[in-house]
């Protein structure tokens, strides 16, 4: 059978879920008439669901209502114009196969999306068990006992998932890391005492594939990617401490999240190397240069500014949004010049509306205690500054940096009732949490400073209940989960990206099972040039298209909604189907993710 016919047959099979829709799409009417008829069919279906079909369980009915709204938006002329794609035209073309047109072939991801969408509209989503839970039929103690049994079953499911993942506080991990540390110390002919000095780690950052290969096994791809990265001046480096968190052997699942954090993929290096050659490609995905009124400052909100006194880190996260600004790992030239820093601080002083400063970079804890203290004391001298945040990942990459003297020196600026000094860090995986990072956190906490975590939700921490284990362990070491970011849509970091529906699913079906004191993080999409969009508030974004490659296009509303007429932002997500396929290849049971299609 010719390939185009095969697509047609597949599509007709899917349309068998709704004879009404099939009839409309297969008719000889023009596209506008079809659009109107589909809209009427959707209204009719909604009316039947609400007013005539009283047997439908409440949750199916809510689902139908939501999906109908999504489909209505998707087939509107506005959405088609914004997305530059008409699903309606596309479906008609697949059915009619016009000779004068080249049609982009539909992917399995597109067909899956369409199938779930139509099944959802007609009330056949299949995500719920056919029967309501038994406890609903009883009252009193009997109901409570059955409900309790049901809740225990849910708790066992979450525990079973969480037990699959490793935490750096497990005894076996502590022993493993102890052996790794000795291996690294032997390699550098160094002592335990030196290991405790943060400056020693900075002097011994591993910056090339050959040295790394002497310390642990690398796959051929890892070796090639690092070598290519160095040849193309793409920042790469690993602190000896962080290296000790990696298992000796490569290819295992246990330390995958740790390795992926710093060892780039070949795809990443090749794409970045190509971008670096091109004059027409800006690496500034977040459009920071459009929100920087002066060197060293970024401003996206009325009262808060970002101050970046140093643009380097002890090691570079592969997906870093500032990779366009960071020249190299722990590089000498990365600090803002004295003049520029002075001007940035003066700018903050003159901009009286600012009452909160986030000192970040790069990692500001690469500065000496004296330099840091000098910046904080100048900010603290401004009467309107009520909060100073320090954004640092050294708790994870170099916990030796958190010395008693550092904490004492900066802790004195934390004055209850007057000014808050808080630490914002970036743990990505429970396997990154170690006794050393816990002690570092505790030093801040003992001095009255809160420590918050910003997680980036990537492929490597997105399995069922994986982020829940991270939240749980973070709370136990004294860190409050703060934000969970959707991975940026940068092409070079496609390996990291997770579809937005997975983030929504995680919040609704996994995080929701945890107490409110633990699931404190807000899931956000950081809109380039604008600021955070709160993903849980689904009224602040719209799904406007599903493309032939199975990728969804979203329209994100700016945080200024109802305050000013800022523009919206279009975003092409990664395909749910491809994400699930990858999980399947990595041994996940994708049935555990079946409701993902019904998050928008
Ligand atoms: S710690 Fe932050 S600034 Fe540094 S590389 Fe990672 S994401 Fe970028």
């Amino acid at each position: 059978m010719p390939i185009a016919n095969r697509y047609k047959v597949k599509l007709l099979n899917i349309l068998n879920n709704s004879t009404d829709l099939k009839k409309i799409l297969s008719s000889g009417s023009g596209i506008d008439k079809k659009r109107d008829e589909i809209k009427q069919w959707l209204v009719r279906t909604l009316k039947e669901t609400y007013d005539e079909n009283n047997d439908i369980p409440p949750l199916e009915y809510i689902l139908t209502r939501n999906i109908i709204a999504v489909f209505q938006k998707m087939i509107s002329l506005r959405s088609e114009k914004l997305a530059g794609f008409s699903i309606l035209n596309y479906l008609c073309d697949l059915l009619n196969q016009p000779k004068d047109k080249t049609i982009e072939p539909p992917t399995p991801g597109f067909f899956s999306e369409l199938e779930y969408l139509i099944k959802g509209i007609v009330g056949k989503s299949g995500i719920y068990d056919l029967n309501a839970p038994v406890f609903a039929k009883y009252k009193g103690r009997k109901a409570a006992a059955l409900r309790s049994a049901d809740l225990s079953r849910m708790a066992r499911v979450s525990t079973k998932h969480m037990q699959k993942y490793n935490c750096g506080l497990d005894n076996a991990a502590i022993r493993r890391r102890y052996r790794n540390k000795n291996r690294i110390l032997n390699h550098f002919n160094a002592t335990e005492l030196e290991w405790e000095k943060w400056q020693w780690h900075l002097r011994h950052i591993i910056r090339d594939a050959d040295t790394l290969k002497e310390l642990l096994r690398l796959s051929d791809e890892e070796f090639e990617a690092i070598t290519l990265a160095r040849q193309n001046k793409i920042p790469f480096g690993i602190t000896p401490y962080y290296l000790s968190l990696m298992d000796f052997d490569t290819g295992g699942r246990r330390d995958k999240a740790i390795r992926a954090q710093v060892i780039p993929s070949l795809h990443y290096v090749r794409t970045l190397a190509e971008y670096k050659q091109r004059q027409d490609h800006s690496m500034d995905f977040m459009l920071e240069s459009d929100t920087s009124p002066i060197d060293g400052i970024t401003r996206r909100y009325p009262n808060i500014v970002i101050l970046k006194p140093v643009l380097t880190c002890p090691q570079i996260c592969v997906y870093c949004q500032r990779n366009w600004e960071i020249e190299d790992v722990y590089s000498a030239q990365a600090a803002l010049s004295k003049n520029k820093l002075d001007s940035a601080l003066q700018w903050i002083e003159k901009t009286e509306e600012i009452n909160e400063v986030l000192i970040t970079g790069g990692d500001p804890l690469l500065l000496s205690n004296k330099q840091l203290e000098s910046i904080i004391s100048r900010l603290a001298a401004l009467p309107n500054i009520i909060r100073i945040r320090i954004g640092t990942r050294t708790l994870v990459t170099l916990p030796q940096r958190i010395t008693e003297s550092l904490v004492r020196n900066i802790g004195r600026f934390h004055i209850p009732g007057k000014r808050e000094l808080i630490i914002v860090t970036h743990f990505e995986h429970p396997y990154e949490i170690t006794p050393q990072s816990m002690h570092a956190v505790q030093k801040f906490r003992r001095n009255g400073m809160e420590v918050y975590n910003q997680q980036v939700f990537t492929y490597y921490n997105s399995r069922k209940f994986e982020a829940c284990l991270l939240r749980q362990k973070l709370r136990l070491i004294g860190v409050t989960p703060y934000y969970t970011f959707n991975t940026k849509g940068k092409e070079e970091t496609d390996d990291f990206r997770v579809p937005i529906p997975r983030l929504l699913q995680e919040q609704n079906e996994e995080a929701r099972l945890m107490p409110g004191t633990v699931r404190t993080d807000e899931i956000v999409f950081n809109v380039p040039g604008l600021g955070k969009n709160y993903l849980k508030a689904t009224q602040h974004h719209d799904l406007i298209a599903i493309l032939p490659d199975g990728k969804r296009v979203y329209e994100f509303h700016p945080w200024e909604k109802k305050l000013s007429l800022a523009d919206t932002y279009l975003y092409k997500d990664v395909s749910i189907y491809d994400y699930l396929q990858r999980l399947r290849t990595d041994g996940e049971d994708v049935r555990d993710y079946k409701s993902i299609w019904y998050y928008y």
Side-chain angles (χ1 to χ4, degrees), residues 55-208:
D55 298 334
I56 189 164
L59 294 185
E60 278 286 0
Y61 146 121
I62 291 167
L63 200 67
T64 297
R65 176 202 68 183
N66 293 348
I67 303 166
I68 287 177
V70 166
F71 198 43
Q72 277 171 331
K73 253 175 254 165
M74 222 190 294
I75 59 167
S76 73
L77 287 171
R78 179 180 183 274
S79 295
E80 290 185 355
K81 195 168 159 208
L82 277 176
F85 175 78
S86 161
I87 192 167
L88 204 50
N89 273 314
Y90 186 64
L91 293 176
C92 292
D93 285 348
L94 287 178
L95 287 174
N96 301 324
Q97 301 173 23
K99 298 248 170 331
D100 54 341
K101 229 177 176 182
T102 319
I103 307 167
E104 188 176 343
T107 57
F110 174 80
F111 281 134
S112 296
E113 284 276 15
L114 188 71
E115 184 169 350
Y116 285 105
L117 187 92
I118 297 173
K119 281 183 172 172
I121 292 173
V122 298
K124 292 189 212 156
S125 73
I127 62 168
Y128 296 111
D129 287 340
L130 289 178
N131 301 316
V134 203
F135 68 82
K137 295 192 196 122
Y138 296 90
K139 292 222 171 304
R141 270 288 149 75
K142 173 103 180 167
L146 289 167
R147 172 69 166 151
S148 176
D150 207 42
L151 293 170
S152 287
R153 180 192 54 77
M154 280 190 203
R156 281 196 300 274
V157 170
S158 61
T159 306
K160 194 176 118 221
H161 280 289
M162 283 195 256
Q163 280 170 345
K164 290 191 302 199
Y165 312 122
N166 287 86
C167 171
L169 294 176
D170 299 342
N171 286 335
I174 294 172
R175 285 195 295 273
R176 208 174 295 124
R177 268 82 187 262
Y178 181 74
R179 289 195 293 275
N180 293 346
K181 176 177 87 173
N182 285 335
R183 194 177 66 243
I184 298 167
L185 284 176
N186 278 341
H187 176 89
F188 288 113
N189 199 17
T191 64
E192 291 256 359
L193 209 60
E194 287 173 301
W195 184 266
E196 296 311 318
K197 305 265 183 240
W198 62 283
Q199 294 91 343
W200 180 86
H201 286 265
L202 291 178
R203 281 197 302 275
H204 292 86
I205 290 170
I206 294 102
R207 293 169 180 268
D208 61 86

Side-chain angles (χ1 to χ4, degrees), residues 313 315-317 319-322 326 361-363 393 426:
C313 290
Q315 55 183 45
I316 308 296
C317 310
Y319 50 72
C320 177
Q321 72 177 45
R322 304 231 162 88
I326 293 178
D363 200 318
R393 192 163 141 78
H426 177 182

Side-chain angles (χ1 to χ4, degrees), residues 8 122 149 199 228 240 242 351 353 387 512 522 541 559:
K8 182 174 173 177
V122 298
Q199 294 91 343
L228 205 61
Y242 198 78
T351 315
E353 298 78 21
R387 191 168 303 104
R512 189 63 188 83
E522 184 73 60
H541 65 262
W559 65 263

